[in-house]
Amino acid sequence: MMALTATSAFAGGYRVSLQGQKQLGMGHTGVAVTNSAEVLFFNPAGAVFLKDKFNVSVGANALFARTKFQNETYNWKASTENTGTPFSLYASYKALDWLAVGLAVYTPYGSAVEWDQDWVGSHLVNNIDLQAIYVQPIASIKLSEKFSIGGGPIYVTGGVEFNRNLTRSLTDVEGPEGKRSDVTLDAQNVTAWGWSAGMMFNPVDKVRIGLNYRSEITMEARDGDAKFADVPAFAQGIYSNTRFNADLPLPAELTAGISVQLSDKWLVAFDYNRTFWNVYKSLTVDFASPAIATSVNPRNYKDASTFRIGTQFKPNDKFSFRAGWYYDESPVRPGYFAPETPRNDSMGFTGGLTYMINSNFGVDVSFLYLHFDEVNASYDHYTEDGNQNVSFGGKYKNVVFSPGVGLSYSF
């Protein structure tokens, strides 16, 4: 499953919100919910409050994303359809009444976008495939019957492959097909470390309050491969295969929330998430060859918020039904709308259910429909041959649908 991972970005920037089937059904709330091992991602402090000694949840989503681009002034049209399979695996063990330990493996960041070859925006991107897998051991400590803390280190492994044309016009006119000149940047087995910490407080029996912080992690690609293709003879002395360095920040995020058990059957939850995207200042690629200038593409992202609400209805021991909604702000500022992450503000509509095969083993299903308003946006910071601020823009329209399935086991 890890080998097949190719997640598509659809939350703000390249953040992917598909970290659990139960919690996705509830609008991807969970920082104050303790109904499965999925709490290891949302708030590791809650693991010690799980009622069973051993808990495991595993799941994956099939993600279908489609983006259409149009510029009516110049009659430009293009589209991209992408699929992905983000996954998660969580397991917890209550070693003592006051101590639980566990392991979480999940994919919170990624991007897979492939535009038509040589489309009108190919000088910015043809395709990109970004993958990041988080592996997090956790410890959860109950300080009292009402208060707990938890967290642990995060190990990240991933890679990126990115292709774009070198300029808006450079072409190998002497080649057999007269193709545009392009570069492919490939860096694999990139690793980094971070951490996560949270707390959970139960002021009364029916109410939980949660807070969780996940640190910024910078993926530092070093000595990646830069391969140039279809370069005309007069430019081959400059654009020859070389190595490159680049950094990509995976931003920190802070989540706070509350859940209320309205009755034995009804649970509601609300989460507020703040992602600190301001660390993504530019996409900078430093080539080892002195003949190739450093590529600096400003991004200037801003911090963004997500508001989530969800509910669970459990009529009996066999079934649980869930529904949710969230509003996700885009971190992209006006004038910085680059087509490798063509996302604007969105609303997510979610649902799901669990069927318990027996008292310990259940099947979870979920779905997500993500609605984006049509946006007329541009990227105004492309430079070529000394010309500053060459603008590229038009109307973008996005549709995302993601069904998911998972298994839960506890005893």
Side-chain angles (χ1 to χ4, degrees):
M1 195 157 50
M2 293 172 70
L4 293 174
T5 299
T7 57
S8 298
F10 62 84
Y14 37 88
R15 176 72 166 88
V16 180
S17 294
L18 291 170
Q19 274 73 65
Q21 303 306 312
K22 287 185 173 68
Q23 303 317 131
L24 177 60
M26 294 178 60
H28 213 251
T29 59
V31 73
V33 178
T34 58
N35 60 5
S36 74
E38 294 175 10
V39 74
L40 271 67
F41 165 79
F42 292 91
N43 187 353
V48 76
F49 287 125
L50 291 172
K51 65 178 182 178
D52 291 305
K53 191 167 187 176
F54 177 78
N55 301 269
V56 62
S57 293
V58 60
N61 285 71
L63 190 150
F64 306 95
R66 182 176 184 179
T67 301
K68 290 184 177 180
F69 167 81
Q70 181 179 13
N71 185 306
E72 296 177 350
T73 302
Y74 300 104
N75 196 29
W76 295 339
K77 292 183 179 180
S79 65
T80 174
E81 296 184 11
N82 304 283
T83 60
T85 56
F87 70 92
S88 60
L89 185 154
Y90 310 105
S92 70
Y93 174 70
K94 191 178 293 186
L96 300 167
D97 179 66
W98 57 270
L99 173 66
V101 294
L103 180 69
V105 182
Y106 50 93
T107 52
Y109 290 97
S111 180
V113 177
E114 184 173 356
W115 292 95
D116 301 327
Q117 189 68 25
D118 289 337
W119 74 297
V120 69
S122 59
H123 58 290
L124 297 175
V125 61
N126 282 315
N127 57 73
I128 184 172
D129 186 359
L130 165 68
Q131 302 173 18
I133 300 173
Y134 279 43
V135 181
Q136 180 183 359
I138 72 100
S140 179
I141 300 171
K142 185 192 298 183
L143 299 180
S144 74
E145 292 302 315
K146 295 182 178 295
F147 184 76
S148 68
I149 59 173
I154 300 174
Y155 171 76
V156 183
T157 180
V160 62
E161 183 176 314
F162 176 76
N163 175 271
R164 68 172 179 85
N165 289 354
L166 289 176
T167 72
R168 292 175 294 168
S169 58
L170 188 63
T171 304
D172 183 12
V173 294
E174 298 179 357
E177 300 181 16
K179 290 184 177 181
R180 298 265 300 279
S181 306
D182 68 89
V183 58
T184 299
L185 305 177
D186 188 9
Q188 302 300 323
N189 301 316
V190 181
T191 61
W193 287 89
W195 55 274
S196 176
M199 56 78 65
M200 187 170 287
F201 176 53
N202 309 326
V204 295
D205 290 341
K206 304 296 184 180
V207 178
R208 294 186 189 275
I209 297 172
L211 181 71
N212 189 65
Y213 179 81
R214 189 170 292 105
S215 74
E216 174 192 342
I217 299 174
T218 300
M219 302 295 287
E220 299 178 348
R222 297 293 180 264
D223 291 325
D225 293 319
K227 297 181 179 180
F228 297 87
D230 300 306
V231 177
F234 73 87
Q236 290 179 3
I238 299 175
Y239 297 116
S240 57
N241 294 346
T242 185
R243 298 282 184 173
F244 77 92
N245 294 335
D247 293 347
L248 182 68
L250 308 179
E253 54 183 299
L254 178 68
T255 305
I258 185 172
S259 69
V260 181
Q261 191 76 48
L262 298 177
S263 69
D264 292 340
K265 296 180 179 181
W266 279 105
L267 172 71
V268 296
F270 172 80
D271 281 10
Y272 169 75
N273 173 270
R274 186 71 171 175
T275 304
F276 301 102
W277 282 107
N278 68 87
V279 296
Y280 192 21
K281 303 299 185 184
S282 68
L283 177 60
T284 301
V285 181
D286 185 16
F287 295 96
S289 171
I292 307 174
T294 298
S295 174
V296 180
N297 298 276
R299 290 297 180 264
N300 198 26
Y301 274 19
K302 62 181 180 180
D303 296 344
S305 297
T306 305
F307 305 87
R308 306 178 183 275
I309 188 169
T311 185
Q312 174 181 274
F313 176 62
K314 188 176 181 180
N316 52 53
D317 291 337
K318 280 292 185 182
F319 284 98
S320 298
F321 300 94
R322 304 178 184 92
W325 172 90
Y326 65 83
Y327 176 75
D328 187 9
E329 294 179 343
S330 171
V332 182
R333 298 178 188 270
Y336 291 88
F337 201 92
E340 86 268 7
T341 50
R343 301 293 181 252
N344 53 306
D345 294 347
S346 62
M347 289 192 295
F349 301 87
T350 73
L353 63 87
T354 292
Y355 173 71
M356 298 300 298
I357 296 175
N358 56 45
S359 60
N360 303 108
F361 184 62
V363 178
D364 308 313
V365 296
S366 70
F367 74 87
L368 164 69
Y369 172 72
L370 205 54
H371 173 74
F372 297 84
D373 292 333
E374 184 177 282
V375 60
N376 195 336
S378 63
Y379 185 73
D380 302 332
H381 304 275
Y382 174 77
T383 61
E384 184 178 310
D385 300 328
N387 297 317
Q388 297 293 318
N389 299 334
V390 177
S391 180
F392 172 82
K395 292 182 179 179
Y396 292 86
K397 190 173 183 178
N398 312 89
V399 175
V400 172
F401 178 72
S402 179
V405 63
L407 302 174
S408 298
Y409 181 72
S410 61
F411 66 86

